[in-house]
Amino acid sequence: MATDGLHESETLAALRSEAEGLKGKLEEERAKLHDVELHQVAERVEALGQFVMKTRRTLKGHGNKVLCMDWCRDKRRIVSSSQDGKVIVWDSFTTNKEHAVTMPCTWVMACAYAPSGCAIACGGLDNKCSVYPLTFDKNENMAAKKRSVAMHTNYLSACSFTNSDMQILTASGDGTCALWDVESGQLLQSFHGHGADVLCLDLAPSETGNTFVSGGCDKKAMVWDMRSGQCVQAFETHESDINSVRYYPSGDAFASGSDDATCRLYDLRADREVAIYSKESIIFGASSVDFSLSGRLLFAGYNDYTINVWDVLKGARASILFGHENRVSTLRVSPDGTAFCSGSWDHTLRVWA
Amino acid sequence: MSSGPSVSALQRLVEQLKLEASVERIKVSQAAAELQQYCIQNACKDALLVGVPAGSNPFREPRSCTLL
């Protein structure tokens, strides 16, 4: 009926204007508390000394672009995945390969080590996240024990075990994140809200409770309550895709890296962006970010093959690291903070200390 | 016939925005001070920041050769 159509468009208009009004109010409330900049507060902090950070190990063996890597809690083993479908577990002290498995798909964009160190998870263009137990029995075929856990309707972009081997959190090109039970493959919770592909996620440090942050092609970073599936805070200040998100070690903030060539710091209790890490000379996207143990340094890998080291408090660049011969695609600091590892489209991984 | 978000999608958006607006916030000055405090308190344990005594970073040690 014609009157129904009219009623609906009035309701739509009313809701749209209510949404706009609420967005404006949210910005106002955030702005009221913006009394100072982080770098101003940090003026009296001692400046950073000189850095001696070099490549200490180069892990060679992938046949194509390295897309993702993760550290084992033993601070020594590393799992990495590549465009050629291979997933490799390395001993980073000796650079020896301990395990290798070939996935049935190319572009394995996500991989993660289980907290126990006894399994790894990975996935990519197969739209799934699969778990492989790690066995030291040379006669056992690793691929035979594979277990499919997560099923999305588009590529898997990121995965992470929660605090145990029993649950996995995934992010996907289908615009959602999801929490899965590893044993049964059951979907425990799904997280809807991103308007486009979700590219990254990070779990809050265990002391801070059950939340995680995700970033996507909709330029938004969203913080989620894992139990309710609700988005509790959202930030939209980047000007392009967010490729990487990582919590500050205290859990009170998180950093992001984006195709807009900036990294940003968002404080969760102030509910706003509190720092931008950028330079006019940096014009390529940041693909991957991670903090040093104290949170003072932010390591960021870029598409211009470099790694920039940022002074988180003062906002300035502390160092630039060269070495990779193609885009840096993934970067993680080791669990005890003694080193960090970067993976690149140049087929290698480098451990820096 | 209608392109763009539906009534129910907009209703969800409005509810979500109300939830986000109700978050309790603190001043940036206080938040920044606490971020800084955490850095300072943990700086001495941060090997990449301050370095560690020679020999105790396994990656900086010279590697021994193993004979196969």
Side-chain angles (χ1 to χ4, degrees), chain A residues 14-272:
Chain A
L15 283 171
R16 265 201 201 96
S17 99
E18 194 181 354
E20 287 311 305
L22 282 167
K23 275 185 195 164
K25 183 151 182 279
L26 187 57
E27 282 322 301
E28 254 181 60
E29 292 301 310
R30 282 173 166 169
K32 276 182 197 166
L33 297 163
H34 188 198
D35 53 347
V36 77
E37 298 296 333
L38 172 60
H39 65 83
Q40 289 170 309
V41 168
E43 251 155 40
R44 292 209 219 105
V45 174
E46 229 178 280
L48 293 172
Q50 275 291 75
F51 285 109
V52 180
M53 231 174 269
K54 306 199 278 197
T55 301
R56 306 287 173 172
R57 302 286 190 277
T58 304
L59 306 179
K60 293 187 186 176
H62 277 295
N64 212 320
K65 307 176 173 70
V66 176
L67 302 176
C68 189
M69 59 81 41
D70 191 19
W71 287 89
C72 176
R73 281 189 186 181
D74 71 1
K75 310 160 241 178
R76 165 173 190 153
R77 284 171 180 80
I78 284 175
V79 63
S80 61
S81 64
S82 163
Q83 184 195 342
D84 66 357
K86 285 229 174 28
V87 178
I88 299 177
V89 174
W90 315 76
D91 175 342
S92 66
F93 287 3
T94 62
T95 74
N96 289 339
K97 298 176 199 42
E98 294 194 342
H99 303 270
V101 71
T102 305
M103 292 280 283
C105 66
T106 56
W107 289 89
V108 188
M109 293 171 235
C111 63
Y113 229 113
S116 68
C118 299
I120 53 147
C122 54
L125 285 187
D126 58 352
N127 299 359
K128 295 192 222 174
C129 184
S130 305
V131 175
Y132 291 85
L134 294 174
T135 168
F136 283 94
D137 182 347
K138 297 261 184 295
N139 295 321
E140 229 177 293
N141 178 6
M142 207 169 128
K145 294 257 167 169
K146 167 180 167 177
R147 169 185 257 147
S148 281
V149 173
M151 289 281 306
H152 278 279
T153 55
N154 209 327
Y155 64 90
L156 187 82
S157 55
C159 62
S160 174
F161 285 85
T162 59
N163 286 324
S164 77
D165 285 20
M166 302 287 91
Q167 290 181 356
I168 286 187
L169 196 55
T170 57
S172 169
D174 67 14
T176 72
C177 297
L179 182 66
W180 309 83
D181 178 89
V182 173
E183 191 67 42
S184 63
Q186 201 193 336
L187 173 67
L188 299 171
Q189 185 61 264
S190 66
F191 305 89
H192 296 259
H194 276 287
D197 307 23
V198 187
L199 298 179
C200 51
L201 61 81
D202 192 36
L203 273 135
S206 40
E207 312 79 57
T208 31
N210 288 308
T211 58
F212 73 95
V213 60
S214 63
C217 292
D218 58 356
K219 314 175 201 169
K220 286 206 276 193
M222 302 178 79
V223 181
W224 306 88
D225 179 316
M226 276 168 69
R227 290 203 190 98
S228 67
Q230 193 94 42
C231 165
V232 294
Q233 284 171 277
F235 304 90
E236 202 171 350
T237 62
H238 271 292
E239 295 168 15
S240 187
D241 300 2
I242 297 178
N243 299 310
S244 177
V245 285
R246 194 74 70 212
Y247 272 91
Y248 186 77
S250 71
D252 289 333
F254 69 90
S256 58
S258 164
D259 275 352
D260 69 7
T262 73
C263 298
R264 297 177 195 233
L265 186 70
Y266 298 90
D267 188 288
L268 292 168
R269 287 154 336 128
D271 187 38
R272 62 171 297 121

Side-chain angles (χ1 to χ4, degrees), chain A residues 306-320:
Chain A
T306 68
I307 293 167
N308 286 305
V309 185
W310 298 94
D311 180 333
V312 169
L313 298 179
K314 292 188 184 276
R317 181 170 64 186
S319 190
I320 178 168

Side-chain angles (χ1 to χ4, degrees), chain A residues 8 12 15 18-19 22 26 29 33 35-36 38 41-42 45 48 51-53 56-57 92-94 230-232 234 248-250 267 269-272 292-296 337-339 351 353, chain B residues 2-7 10-11 13-14 16-21 23-36 38-40 42-43 45-49 57-61 63:
Chain A
E8 181 173 318
L12 276 171
L15 283 171
E18 194 181 354
L22 282 167
L26 187 57
E29 292 301 310
L33 297 163
D35 53 347
V36 77
L38 172 60
V41 168
V45 174
L48 293 172
F51 285 109
V52 180
M53 231 174 269
R56 306 287 173 172
R57 302 286 190 277
S92 66
F93 287 3
T94 62
Q230 193 94 42
C231 165
V232 294
Y248 186 77
S250 71
D267 188 288
R269 287 154 336 128
D271 187 38
R272 62 171 297 121
S292 70
L293 199 107
S294 66
R296 181 68 192 269
T338 51
V351 180
Chain B
S2 57
S3 53
S6 62
V7 168
L10 277 172
Q11 275 168 339
L13 176 62
V14 165
Q16 179 61 31
L17 286 167
K18 282 182 185 165
L19 182 81
E20 288 176 34
V23 160
E24 271 189 40
R25 296 174 194 88
I26 64 174
K27 286 191 186 166
V28 174
S29 51
Q30 189 193 337
E34 293 183 24
L35 290 176
Q36 182 175 298
Y38 187 90
C39 275
I40 292 170
N42 291 282
K45 296 186 251 169
D46 188 342
L48 289 168
L49 184 65
N57 185 328
F59 293 105
R60 288 194 186 180
E61 266 162 34
R63 286 192 298 155

